């Protein structure tokens, strides 16, 4: 048996180290988390994405008593972008969350497995990686493409 070592690169940054466009997107994700409907988990997640044409689309998690009828913030934003701007590639995605006490999470929160696959499909659709910013009060994780979180993905790209 041979060992297969996979390399992933995730950068950590302070908000002040992000450029103006990245900081703006993170702030929009934080704001979107405040619009979340999460009466069951009390875990509010917001996402903001930047399209190639400069448009920003936000999304937030929407829970439902008939689980799994709700949706995550990332999918909410990505599907809205696909419906409104089907020919515009997604350039960047920021994600932020508030904990059960309503405070911004100290550590960055990463997308669930389903959202990771949807992000991979979006990258495949437009044939380019999406810059991802995962916000936490302590730091922001920055990565160039979802494959940094899901290196063995089910995709053509």
């Amino acid at each position: 048996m041979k060992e297969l070592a996979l390399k992933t690169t995730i950068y950590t940054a302070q908000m002040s180290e992000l450029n103006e466009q990245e900081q703006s997107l993170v702030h929009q994700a934080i704001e979107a988390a405040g619009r979340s409907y999460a009466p069951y988990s009390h875990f509010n997640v917001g996402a903001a994405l930047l399209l190639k044409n400069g448009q920003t689309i936000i999304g937030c998690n929407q829970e439902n008593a008939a689980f799994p009828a709700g949706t995550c913030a990332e999918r909410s934003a990505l599907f809205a972008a696909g419906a409104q701007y089907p020919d515009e590639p997604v350039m960047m995605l920021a994600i932020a969350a508030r904990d059960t006490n309503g405070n911004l999470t100290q550590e960055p929160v990463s997308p669930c497995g389903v959202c990771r696959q949807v992000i991979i499909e979006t990258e495949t659709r437009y044939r380019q990686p999406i810059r991802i910013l995962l916000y936490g009060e302590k730091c922001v994780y920055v990565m160039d493409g979802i494959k940094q979180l899901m290196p063995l993905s089910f995709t053509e790209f």
Side-chain angles (χ1 to χ4, degrees), residues 18-144:
L18 301 179
N19 67 39
E20 190 176 312
Q21 189 176 50
E22 292 168 334
Q23 287 183 33
S24 174
L25 204 63
V26 168
H27 285 299
Q28 290 178 70
I30 291 169
E31 184 180 315
R35 299 177 184 178
S36 165
Y37 178 70
Y40 306 103
S41 72
H42 306 287
F43 191 74
N44 303 88
V45 182
L49 57 87
L50 177 68
L51 301 177
K52 188 173 184 176
N53 67 2
Q55 291 291 321
T56 301
I57 306 292
I58 63 165
C60 54
N61 59 323
Q62 300 291 311
E63 295 181 351
N64 191 294
F67 183 80
T71 192
C72 297
E74 300 90 318
R75 284 181 280 151
S76 171
L78 288 163
F79 293 156
Q84 295 173 52
Y85 300 96
D87 299 324
E88 289 297 324
V90 177
M91 306 304 290
M92 193 169 9
L93 171 66
I95 302 165
R98 294 186 179 279
D99 64 22
T100 55
N101 295 318
N103 301 314
L104 289 167
T105 58
Q106 290 297 302
E107 301 293 332
V109 174
S110 66
C112 73
V114 173
C115 287
R116 291 178 192 206
Q117 185 61 47
V118 170
I119 296 167
I120 286 171
E121 187 68 25
T122 304
E123 289 184 345
T124 301
R125 178 179 183 174
Y126 299 109
R127 297 262 182 240
Q128 64 184 47
I130 297 169
R131 185 166 181 83
I132 300 171
L133 310 168
L134 304 178
Y135 176 80
E137 289 279 84
K138 290 183 181 176
C139 68
V140 179
Y141 290 164
V142 180
M143 62 204 77
D144 291 316

Side-chain angles (χ1 to χ4, degrees), residues 1-14:
M1 181 180 331
K2 291 184 180 181
E3 179 181 317
L4 173 63
L6 301 174
K7 182 182 177 192
T8 188
T9 303
I10 299 173
Y11 301 96
T12 61
Q14 297 303 307

